[in-house]
Amino acid sequence: MTMKALLAAMAVVALASPAIAAEKVKIGFISTFSGPQGVLGRELMDGFSLALKNLGGKLGGAEVTVIQGDDQGKPDIGVQLAEKMVERDKVDVVTGINFSNVLLAVAKPVLDSKTFLLSINAGPSQLAGKDCNPYYFNVAHQNDNVPEAMGQFLTAKGVKTVYLLAPNYPAGKDMLGGFKRFFHGRVVGEVYTQFNQPDYAAELAQIRQAKPDAVFFFYPGGMGINFLKQYAQSGLKGQVPLYGPSFSLDQTILPAVGDAAVGTFSTAFWSETANNKANKKFVTDFEAAYGRIPSPYAATAYDGAYLLDAAIKAAGSTKNKDALRKALETVKFDSVRGKFSFNTNHNPIQDYHLYEVTKDSAGRLINSYRSEVFTEHKDAYSTTCTM
Amino acid sequence: MGIFLFAEQVLNGLQLGTMLFLMASGLTLVFGIMNLVNLAHGSFYMMGAYFAATLFKLTGSLVLAAAGAFVGVLVLGMALEIAILHSFYRRDHLDQVLATFGMILFFNELVRMVWGPQAYFLALPEALNGSVELIPGAPYPIYRLIIIVAGLTVALGLYLLISRSRIGMLIRAGASNRTMIEALGVNIRVLFTVVFGLGAALAGLAGTMAGPLLAVQVGMGDSVLITTLVVIVIGGIGSVRGAFLASLLVGLSDTFGRMLLPASLAEMTIYILMAVILYRRPQGLFPAHG
């Protein structure tokens, strides 16, 4: 008797469910969850998950399944994961990738299968220019852009000589390339260090020798922590001012560095202090959920989920790929960066600002707004993109 | 290159070298005496850093934190040897690699669960945060000098222990002929546990000293392990003296390689050094087994 009642109840529930519930979205989320840079994957996943939670576990009204994969920061593992997700799991969108070298490797199998590839962090120049693709979208930034803003700022400030440092991998090259595009002073040193190099004593001695007016460094994650700590200990802090893209001075780094970072300037398209309604909600919700201040990784991941939500809603489904692509290109969503739109190469047009590391009322290090650098800035590669 | 910059880079190379020696001395002894390939040696380095950072946060004393971390990793190393690793001595190197690689994953995951994936903050006391002008125009961080001095002190202590003490004699005997000293009635089980624990504790000490310089984070031992393996191969497996010279050689050549060579070549400096030395001396600089 009870069994029958139960079955009947189940049938009623099944029939009563609206047709839209049958629609499902599968997201393949590949990121670095382990190793020294594992914190980046966590930031991206937490930002994405928070947005999903706010959206009731749905994107554009469709139930979401997220399939998670750990690329360990290695391109070959990223490719294996991507192939499995595309061929076996038949995901609609691949996203989450934080390292440009992983993204470049993953792009081919994903895009060849006409699966959407949405970058929520890495922005290699190749995919913005000659290798651009109708199925590739970057909701975060093109690697060159944030350093371009710093190059612009330091030129305007009248800085004559600068020393550049970055890890030896695609994003490192893009970042310093972007800086040099807008910096019109003299580059007295340009050093590419081994990826995940722990000790920078030799490089710091070289900087002291070169006596530049400024140092610009791109070291994300643990590399940034190492560099900032050692820079302060070497006594160079206070002698040569330090400038970086936000990725060298974000919330994955600042809590582990302490006062060594105070007074350092960065450029960014977003900061935890960005003053708009969507961002205030995001930062408050994020702190409530995870007990820490979000990083730009979490912010762009959060935006990525809202972008997908708005685009799937507009297209009605993920199955009509042309409609979804058109929706992604034009759809409006509440970005935590305020203004946001896509350029013709599916990379962002957005504003870039200058920030300074200061302390908030609770004594935590934060990036405080100082000035506007670029308004509605585009990357330099869109002209070489034909699709 | 000016003479002062050269001198500063020599100091940097020495500092890297002494850190490597702390790692390499334990690893080479364990490999030489127990014939055990221990990939988890980098995990002891990481645990040392985390123990010290946590104790420093609790007590506020760097000395207490360093001592606590040393004892903590010593106990951890001995426990691991007694519980798991001693049964691997007589097995294939491949089995040992698999087992100890598993331990790397275990410890990385353990640290992630206990301390979280976010790097852990370890500040230096103000007194150690400054720099002294040993070389004109190039103030050198006090803390890096302390590392050099501490590393050299440990090297000297280890030299005295191994060449002058009874336990050192047994260690040397064990390295050159294990079967014979067993036959002479030495309790080899206890000796192995002690040597393993000591090696682990030295790696822990290296991690402790690295803490204020580097990001204390999951997987921080993995990259240093590879360099350490290069050191013990160059030095000759089982030889502490070889490990000492090789550490300094690797430290200096890596530092000068980074300074003088283009990035992609600089990454290869120490491997090229290893290849050249192995070509001339296939057993390394000071092979322990005659």
Side-chain angles (χ1 to χ4, degrees):
Chain A
M1 189 59 201
T2 46
M3 193 62 185
K4 256 187 189 166
L6 208 62
L7 282 173
M10 278 165 67
V12 169
V13 171
L15 286 172
S17 311
I20 191 110
E23 179 79 28
K24 282 206 162 60
V25 183
K26 265 194 186 174
I27 308 281
F29 200 100
I30 301 172
S31 210
T32 307
F33 292 102
S34 61
Q37 308 288 0
V39 66
L40 302 184
R42 181 192 64 167
E43 284 291 313
L44 290 162
M45 192 75 233
D46 284 354
F48 198 79
S49 307
L50 181 67
L52 280 184
K53 201 174 91 188
N54 286 353
L55 292 164
K58 290 178 178 167
L59 288 175
E63 291 286 343
V64 179
T65 318
V66 177
I67 299 160
Q68 207 173 323
D70 176 11
D71 63 31
Q72 300 167 29
K74 294 173 186 152
D76 50 328
I77 296 180
V79 169
Q80 285 170 18
L81 288 167
E83 282 172 347
K84 180 197 140 267
M85 286 178 181
V86 167
E87 283 161 25
R88 182 133 53 88
D89 303 324
K90 307 245 180 296
V91 297
D92 301 296
V93 180
V94 173
T95 189
I97 297 165
N98 46 297
F99 283 124
S100 293
N101 48 348
V102 180
L103 185 64
L104 285 170
V106 162
K108 192 174 161 43
V110 175
L111 297 174
D112 281 355
S113 71
K114 299 202 159 118
T115 306
F116 285 98
L117 179 60
L118 173 67
S119 177
I120 50 177
N121 174 41
S125 52
Q126 292 85 344
L127 287 171
K130 62 178 175 49
D131 295 335
C132 68
N133 189 290
Y135 292 93
Y136 169 75
F137 285 83
N138 185 318
V139 72
H141 64 123
Q142 197 278 312
N143 287 340
D144 298 33
N145 297 156
V146 175
E148 279 172 358
M150 191 52 95
Q152 168 82 10
F153 168 73
L154 291 181
T155 303
K157 196 171 182 281
V159 167
K160 297 276 181 297
T161 55
V162 69
Y163 201 98
L164 309 176
L165 300 118
N168 193 15
Y169 84 119
K173 303 253 164 71
D174 284 352
M175 291 268 173
L176 298 193
F179 180 87
K180 288 190 287 183
R181 190 172 295 125
F182 281 78
F183 179 70
H184 300 313
R186 202 155 56 87
V187 175
V188 291
E190 181 174 353
V191 173
Y192 293 96
T193 52
Q194 195 175 350
F195 193 79
N196 273 343
Q197 176 176 316
D199 197 292
Y200 296 93
E203 289 76 12
L204 293 173
Q206 301 281 82
I207 294 174
R208 197 194 314 280
Q209 185 78 4
K211 294 193 176 59
D213 294 338
V215 169
F216 178 79
F217 74 114
F218 166 60
Y219 284 125
M223 289 181 272
I225 299 171
N226 292 341
F227 186 81
L228 281 163
K229 278 176 142 181
Q230 293 166 25
Y231 194 84
Q233 274 169 26
S234 73
L236 275 167
K237 193 185 183 235
Q239 286 180 11
V240 185
L242 200 53
Y243 301 88
S246 47
F247 310 104
S248 304
L249 292 155
D250 61 38
Q251 292 294 340
T252 64
I253 293 173
L254 293 181
V257 174
D259 291 351
V262 172
T264 310
F265 288 90
S266 69
T267 44
F269 47 78
W270 174 90
S271 132
E272 55 274 25
T273 57
N275 195 8
N276 65 71
K277 213 172 125 230
N279 192 51
K280 281 186 175 150
K281 176 175 165 51
F282 164 60
V283 174
T284 315
D285 288 356
F286 192 92
E287 280 201 63
Y290 307 111
R292 60 176 197 276
I293 308 173
S295 64
Y297 305 98
T300 46
Y302 183 86
D303 267 2
Y306 274 92
L307 165 71
L308 286 175
D309 176 65
I312 294 169
K313 205 175 281 164
S317 158
T318 51
K319 303 305 165 215
N320 185 342
K321 291 189 177 183
D322 281 336
L324 182 57
R325 193 181 68 237
K326 288 204 176 71
L328 281 166
E329 282 169 354
T330 55
V331 79
K332 293 273 169 274
F333 66 99
D334 263 346
S335 169
V336 294
R337 287 164 269 183
K339 279 184 293 180
F340 179 93
S341 60
F342 278 118
N343 197 350
T344 48
N345 62 348
H346 294 176
N347 274 253
I349 303 175
Q350 56 189 345
D351 299 346
Y352 294 84
H353 325 277
L354 180 76
Y355 293 94
E356 183 183 359
V357 178
T358 59
K359 282 187 177 177
D360 71 359
S361 51
R364 301 179 299 180
L365 299 186
I366 50 162
N367 288 291
S368 297
Y369 178 84
R370 285 293 170 263
S371 64
E372 184 86 23
V373 183
F374 284 140
T375 313
E376 300 196 1
H377 185 64
K378 297 173 182 173
D379 65 78
Y381 303 98
S382 57
T383 48
T384 59
C385 160
T386 46
M387 56 177 150
Chain B
M1 176 172 38
I3 181 81
F4 297 137
L5 180 63
F6 179 80
E8 188 179 356
Q9 297 293 30
V10 168
L11 280 182
N12 286 331
L14 278 180
Q15 182 251 308
L16 182 60
T18 49
M19 291 281 277
L20 283 174
F21 173 68
L22 290 183
M23 286 290 289
S25 52
L27 194 62
T28 202
L29 280 178
V30 168
F31 202 163
I33 300 175
M34 284 92 113
N35 198 22
L36 175 78
V37 185
N38 177 26
L39 296 186
H41 205 65
S43 299
F44 295 134
Y45 173 85
M46 174 177 72
M47 295 313 290
Y50 270 96
F51 284 164
T54 311
L55 284 171
F56 183 65
K57 211 161 250 186
L58 292 176
T59 64
S61 153
L62 200 62
V63 177
L64 218 60
F70 188 85
V71 175
V73 181
L74 180 79
V75 172
L76 178 72
M78 295 207 296
L80 216 58
E81 199 270 348
I82 292 167
I84 304 168
L85 285 173
H86 83 91
S87 56
F88 278 90
Y89 291 155
R90 301 205 177 273
R91 292 176 69 169
D92 212 59
H93 278 167
L94 191 62
D95 292 353
Q96 299 171 352
V97 165
L98 277 176
T100 53
F101 183 72
M103 283 181 191
I104 295 181
L105 302 180
F106 171 81
F107 279 108
N108 281 349
E109 218 42 53
L110 182 77
V111 166
R112 196 195 314 281
M113 281 159 68
V114 177
W115 284 279
Q118 174 94 43
Y120 202 71
F121 179 49
L122 176 59
L124 267 181
E126 264 318 300
L128 300 181
N129 223 347
S131 43
V132 283
E133 204 159 321
L134 272 189
I135 309 157
Y140 201 73
I142 295 174
Y143 189 71
R144 285 186 190 267
L145 285 177
I146 293 177
I147 291 181
I148 298 177
V149 173
L152 293 178
T153 312
V154 171
L156 181 69
L158 215 55
Y159 168 76
L160 292 176
L161 180 80
I162 287 175
S163 63
R164 296 290 151 87
S165 74
R166 184 175 160 76
I167 187 168
M169 189 183 73
L170 295 177
I171 289 173
R172 276 181 291 138
S176 52
N177 196 332
R178 187 167 59 171
T179 327
M180 188 50 109
I181 72 160
E182 263 184 296
L184 291 173
V186 175
N187 188 343
I188 201 101
R189 276 291 303 120
V190 176
L191 181 70
F192 282 2
T193 308
V194 169
V195 170
F196 191 89
L198 187 69
L202 287 176
L205 183 65
T208 302
M209 299 206 303
L213 281 181
L214 309 181
V216 178
Q217 60 182 359
V218 177
M220 65 184 285
D222 302 356
S223 58
V224 76
L225 176 75
I226 295 171
T227 321
T228 309
L229 287 170
V230 171
V231 166
I232 70 166
V233 168
I234 290 179
I237 285 158
S239 161
V240 175
R241 187 168 52 139
F244 182 69
L245 279 177
S247 298
L248 297 187
L249 207 55
V250 167
L252 286 168
S253 52
D254 185 56
T255 303
F256 280 97
R258 270 152 58 198
M259 185 177 162
L260 301 170
L261 302 173
S264 36
L265 204 59
E267 292 179 16
M268 292 189 280
T269 322
I270 60 169
Y271 304 104
I272 295 170
L273 178 75
M274 178 169 78
V276 170
I277 287 177
L278 288 186
Y279 178 73
R280 301 291 305 170
R281 299 177 73 100
Q283 300 292 313
L285 293 175
F286 297 97
H289 304 274

